[in-house]
Amino acid sequence: MQELGEPHGAHGVGFQERRHQAVPRLAFGGGALLNVAGLFASMLYRGSKVIYVPTTLLAMHDVTTSLKTSICFDGRKNNIGTFYAPTKILIDVAFCRTLPRGELFSGIGELAKNAALLGGKHAEGFSRALSRDRINSEHGGSGEEFAIEDSMLITLLDLGIEAKMTVLAIDAYEKTHGMIFEYGHTVSHAIEKAYGDGVVPHGLGVTYGMLSSSYRWAS
């Protein structure tokens, strides 16, 4: 198995190693790296095996559930990409213990979007996991002590994965029904590019996008 840890020069590495397309590449990291790795795998030998090991909450439930791969080029967002499925996805919530608070909130932001879009158990599960009483009593409020225990992370991941897969099962390329998951993304992408890549975590940008859409609708 070849480890793909650094996206730059990925195709050169792939050819230099002289690995066959049947040999899986391991993509280990957050959403941006998985997007690059998926794009690389989709083009190498017209399709090579790739295994995703997401290490952020957002990547675990939102990135890996989509066939979309992409990179940002010439100041634009996700304007070069393909649709490609990994051979396998390995998720371990223990990685979330290493994340800074902003990355946890980023993953939660996309879950908030699912709760707003789908309601029902998605809204109920989200509200239960992140209720003010539970956070204040268990993890010291919303300060730097904020954390989510593994059991609750698993519950949230189950909800997030189910939300995406239920819709993508009938619209894998996100052209019709799957477009609902673009809620909040127009403003989010503008914010992310305005502040510079990596400054505003994607999930937080989505929450700002949803707030702006709600404000515009209400006014």
Side-chain angles (χ1 to χ4, degrees):
M1 180 180 292
Q2 177 183 354
E3 182 174 347
L4 177 62
E6 183 65 41
H8 302 294
H11 282 88
V13 171
F15 293 132
Q16 290 169 12
E17 293 292 329
R18 300 183 183 279
R19 303 294 180 92
H20 190 269
Q21 60 263 45
V23 178
R25 275 74 182 173
L26 179 65
F28 185 97
L33 187 140
L34 297 185
N35 266 312
V36 173
L39 179 62
F40 158 70
S42 72
M43 294 189 292
L44 185 66
Y45 299 114
R46 289 179 290 184
S48 298
K49 293 182 178 180
V50 61
I51 297 171
Y52 289 165
V53 183
T55 58
T56 65
L57 180 58
L58 178 65
M60 289 176 187
H61 71 82
D62 189 69
V63 176
T64 59
T65 49
S66 175
L67 296 180
K68 294 188 293 188
T69 75
S70 66
I71 58 173
C72 301
F73 177 71
D74 196 27
R76 300 176 183 272
K77 189 75 174 177
N78 300 333
N79 58 334
I80 296 179
T82 61
F83 292 93
Y84 198 68
T87 304
K88 185 172 291 189
I89 302 166
L90 305 176
I91 296 176
D92 186 347
V93 297
F95 286 116
C96 293
R97 300 180 203 143
T98 70
L99 298 176
R101 188 175 58 150
E103 282 297 331
L104 281 177
F105 286 153
S106 181
I108 289 169
E110 287 279 9
L111 291 168
K113 179 196 70 180
N114 295 341
L117 288 171
L118 303 177
K121 64 181 179 181
H122 298 282
E124 293 169 5
F126 180 83
S127 298
R128 183 169 59 252
L130 298 168
S131 69
R132 178 179 299 179
D133 290 343
R134 195 193 68 79
I135 291 174
N136 286 344
S137 64
E138 296 182 17
H139 294 294
S142 58
E144 294 297 333
E145 305 88 354
F146 175 79
I148 306 175
E149 63 272 17
D150 288 357
S151 61
M152 189 56 70
L153 280 171
I154 291 171
T155 297
L156 290 171
L157 285 172
D158 284 343
L159 288 170
I161 292 170
E162 181 184 349
K164 289 289 290 285
M165 297 310 297
T166 299
V167 176
L168 299 188
I170 58 175
D171 180 24
Y173 296 104
E174 302 180 49
K175 302 295 186 184
T176 55
H177 298 78
M179 286 295 292
I180 64 171
F181 294 118
E182 293 300 307
Y183 178 40
H185 280 63
T186 300
V187 170
S188 173
H189 289 168
I191 291 173
E192 291 172 61
K193 297 307 293 184
Y195 280 88
D197 292 336
V199 176
V200 178
H202 176 66
L204 291 181
V206 170
T207 62
Y208 295 140
M210 291 190 294
L211 285 170
S212 68
S213 297
S214 299
Y215 175 81
R216 178 66 184 87
W217 180 86
S219 61

